[in-house]
Structures are given as C-alpha cells and as structure tokens.
Amino acid sequence: MINPSISIIIPVYNAALYIEKAITSALQQPEVLEVLIVNDGSTDGSDEILQSIASTTTRVTLLFHPQRINKGRSASRNLGLQHARGTYIAFLDADDYYLENRFSGDLFIFESQLDCDGVYNAIGVHFYRDATLEQQQELALYTITERIKPQDLFENLLLGGKGHFSIDGLTLKRSLIDKVGFFNTHLVVGEDTDYMWRMALVANLYAGAIENPVAIRGVHDANVFDNPFLYQENKLRILDSVLRWSANHGVRTTRLDLILKHIWILKQKQENSLMQDIKYWFNLFLRHHNLMFSSLSIKYFPIIRYRQKLFSFLYQK
C-alpha cells in the first residue's frame, strides 16, 4: 500500500475555467497527502468552486493571504510551502493538470538515489486557444533532452541548449527548502526559473521521465507561457536575482563568473554608451556586497573589459 507523502501546492488567481481539473488530477494520485490551494484574491468565481471541492475531502486545504488580497504566484507558493506537511513537495499551476502515475517514478528515484534532492520530468502542452502547427510542435514536449549529471545541470539550464524543465514536472524533498529558501516575490515573470536555477546550484536534481510527459501545461490567451519576448525582457532581472542569492550562499566563483558572463552578453545587446555601462555595473556590484571587492568586479568592470579599445595606443606593437 502506498503511503501518501506528497504535498501539492496550487496558487489560484481567476482560474475558474481550469481549477477543478487541476485539483482532480492531483487528488487522483495515490501518493498525495494533501493539496494546498492558495486563493490569491480571485474575483471570477474560483472561490465558490474551491469551497465546494474542499467541502468533499479533508485532503484539500484552502489558504488565503491577509484580507484575501492578491499577492502573486511567488507569495502564494511561499504560503503553501509554509503550510506543507509532506515529506515531498510538488507544484501545479491552476490551469494545468497531472497525468496518471505522476509520482510513481519520482518516488522510485528518491528511494534508489539516496543523495537525490529533487526529480524533474517532462511536461506536455494543451492549447485552449488556436495555435499554429509550428507552435504546437515547438511546445510539444518541454524538457531537458538528455540525462545530465546533477553537478552539470545548472550550466546546461543557463545555456538552454539541452532544454529546460517546468515547475509542474518537479518533485522536491521538503528539506531542500532549508537550502534554497522561498520564491523571490520581486519577480513577476520567471520566478519559477529563478527558483529552479537556485536549486540546480546547490542540490542534486535527477532526471525522471524526460521522454514522456507527466503533466500538461495549459496554454490560453490569459497566460504568458509561450511569450518569449516577455521572458527575454525579464531575463536580466532573473539573472540578477540568481547572482544575488548565489553571492550570499557560498556558490563557487566559477559559477558566479558564468552568471556574470551571461549578464554581460545581454547588456552588450543593448548597445549602451560606456557611461551607461559603467553606471550599470557599478550599481550591480554595489548591490552585491560580497562581489564588490572581488576579482570578478574587476574582470567585468567596463573600463577593464574595453581596455584594448579605450587604450589602444598601449597595445600597439
């Protein structure tokens, strides 16, 4: 007999069209101990649906922010984390749903890999709106495309060449929260990417089912899942968040260097003036006190990076 040991956290904001399917898919998993639903100030009738479902089972717990205000996905997931009782934690967005046997493979990996902190899996996509064939093919499977050693995962996620993974396909040991902390409430977009990159920096994350999906992501007009421009605009904020966290948690210099390199590349694409670049990098290192007087602050300061161009006469043979 399966011992229920997983807490599912579902943030809900105006998801009346989808939330019942999401909750049902979670409750159908025999490994699920509880489903923590955070109603993030919904105004579309979601609350009535949630109250109705919660009245039928003790496995569903409804949570609210003070005065039932809207605080966003990060604050809602954090509230769920604070109340979770399971040995393991998984997340599900309100417009997505799990497939059958979502967690059976994950628990096997946790039992067979004693150093495993988390398992990531593939998710599929369902379009609730019209989509071109190209869009459907591009998002058919959203996953890391090969099994990567945990110690190499962060670099591969940052580069993106071998795919990504989604929060719907992630299962964590609750003890990992002590290492990683909570979601960054200052990020409106990409807060899950920030969180997963932080985990990859300090945890052993193993690949589960990467050939077939364990969950389905719903794509509709109200979400931004397939809006690459919005994510590109916020990538600097995500990298800055990861850098700040890494600098304060003893992440090794080579990885800090890699993060800074990607920030540098993104800034170069903006084609700013030298003074704009100097101001940006000075403020960046000023915010990250642990890096201010490090070799990295010298390496990435624009005058140093541009020294051959600025002082070309010194490099003439």
Side-chain angles (χ1 to χ4, degrees), residues 5-9 80-81 84-91 103 170-175 177:
S5 57
I6 301 175
S7 296
I8 309 297
I9 298 171
L81 287 172
R85 297 181 292 116
T87 304
Y88 305 99
I89 293 172
F91 302 93
F103 296 105
L170 192 65
T171 309
L172 312 174
K173 282 184 178 177
R174 189 176 62 172
S175 57
I177 308 306

Side-chain angles (χ1 to χ4, degrees), residues 3-288:
N3 180 29
S5 57
I6 301 175
S7 296
I8 309 297
I9 298 171
I10 307 178
V12 178
Y13 176 69
N14 289 351
L17 294 176
Y18 316 102
I19 188 56
E20 185 172 359
K21 187 172 186 176
I23 298 172
T24 299
S25 75
L27 290 174
Q28 286 175 345
Q29 312 298 326
E31 303 87 354
V32 171
L33 171 69
E34 60 182 354
V35 180
L36 302 169
I37 304 171
V38 183
N39 187 351
D40 189 24
S42 296
T43 59
D44 70 337
S46 293
D47 190 55
E48 288 79 2
I49 297 172
L50 297 176
Q51 296 288 351
S52 176
I53 295 173
S55 68
T56 66
T57 174
T58 58
R59 287 204 292 162
V60 170
T61 299
L62 299 184
L63 301 171
F64 304 89
H65 298 296
Q67 289 79 52
R68 299 197 174 195
I69 62 174
N70 171 261
K71 297 189 69 173
R73 291 189 300 265
S74 291
S76 297
R77 291 188 183 123
N78 290 344
L79 183 60
L81 287 172
Q82 292 165 12
H83 285 80
R85 297 181 292 116
T87 304
Y88 305 99
I89 293 172
F91 302 93
L92 183 63
D93 284 350
D95 47 4
D96 305 337
Y97 57 93
Y98 291 142
L99 297 176
E100 190 176 357
N101 298 319
R102 160 68 181 88
F103 296 105
S104 57
D106 292 8
L107 294 185
F108 175 79
I109 293 174
F110 280 118
E111 292 171 0
S112 59
Q113 298 283 352
L114 298 183
D115 66 338
C116 178
D117 296 304
V119 179
Y120 57 91
N121 302 276
I123 67 163
V125 175
H126 175 75
F127 284 88
Y128 288 104
R129 58 169 169 77
D130 293 335
T132 65
L133 180 61
E134 182 181 3
Q135 287 175 317
Q136 294 181 39
Q137 291 174 339
E138 182 181 355
L139 298 175
L141 202 63
Y142 193 70
T143 180
I144 293 289
T145 55
E146 62 184 68
R147 299 184 183 277
I148 300 170
K149 294 179 180 179
Q151 60 267 29
D152 299 328
L153 184 59
F154 173 72
E155 286 78 359
N156 281 277
L157 288 174
L158 191 61
L159 295 172
K162 296 181 180 178
H164 308 275
F165 53 80
S166 163
I167 199 165
D168 287 343
L170 192 65
T171 309
L172 312 174
K173 282 184 178 177
R174 189 176 62 172
S175 57
L176 181 56
I177 308 306
D178 295 333
K179 289 184 182 179
V180 182
F182 294 95
F183 286 83
N184 184 346
T185 57
H186 298 291
L187 290 174
V188 178
V189 173
E191 77 291 337
D192 50 352
T193 298
D194 167 71
Y195 199 67
M196 290 185 286
W197 284 1
R198 284 191 272 144
M199 283 190 289
L201 282 166
V202 297
N204 291 314
L205 303 180
Y206 284 87
I210 61 173
E211 295 85 10
N212 299 294
V214 301
I216 298 296
R217 185 74 184 261
V219 179
H220 48 83
D221 291 331
N223 64 22
V224 295
F225 175 58
D226 60 339
N227 185 344
F229 301 105
L230 186 58
Y231 280 89
Q232 281 300 115
E233 290 176 0
N234 285 274
K235 192 169 183 179
L236 269 174
R237 296 188 183 94
I238 298 169
L239 286 167
D240 185 82
S241 174
V242 175
L243 179 65
R244 179 183 299 118
W245 185 89
S246 300
N248 292 327
H249 287 81
V251 172
R252 65 176 184 262
T253 302
T254 53
R255 286 181 162 179
L256 296 175
D257 193 0
L258 187 61
I259 297 169
L260 287 166
K261 179 180 179 180
H262 278 262
I263 293 175
W264 179 269
I265 292 171
L266 289 177
K267 291 299 294 181
Q268 288 301 289
K269 291 179 179 179
Q270 295 179 352
E271 298 183 349
N272 296 318
S273 68
L274 176 60
M275 288 306 300
Q276 287 174 317
D277 281 343
I278 289 174
K279 181 179 179 181
Y280 173 83
W281 285 93
F282 178 79
N283 288 329
L284 176 72
F285 286 112
L286 190 63
R287 292 196 304 273
H288 305 302

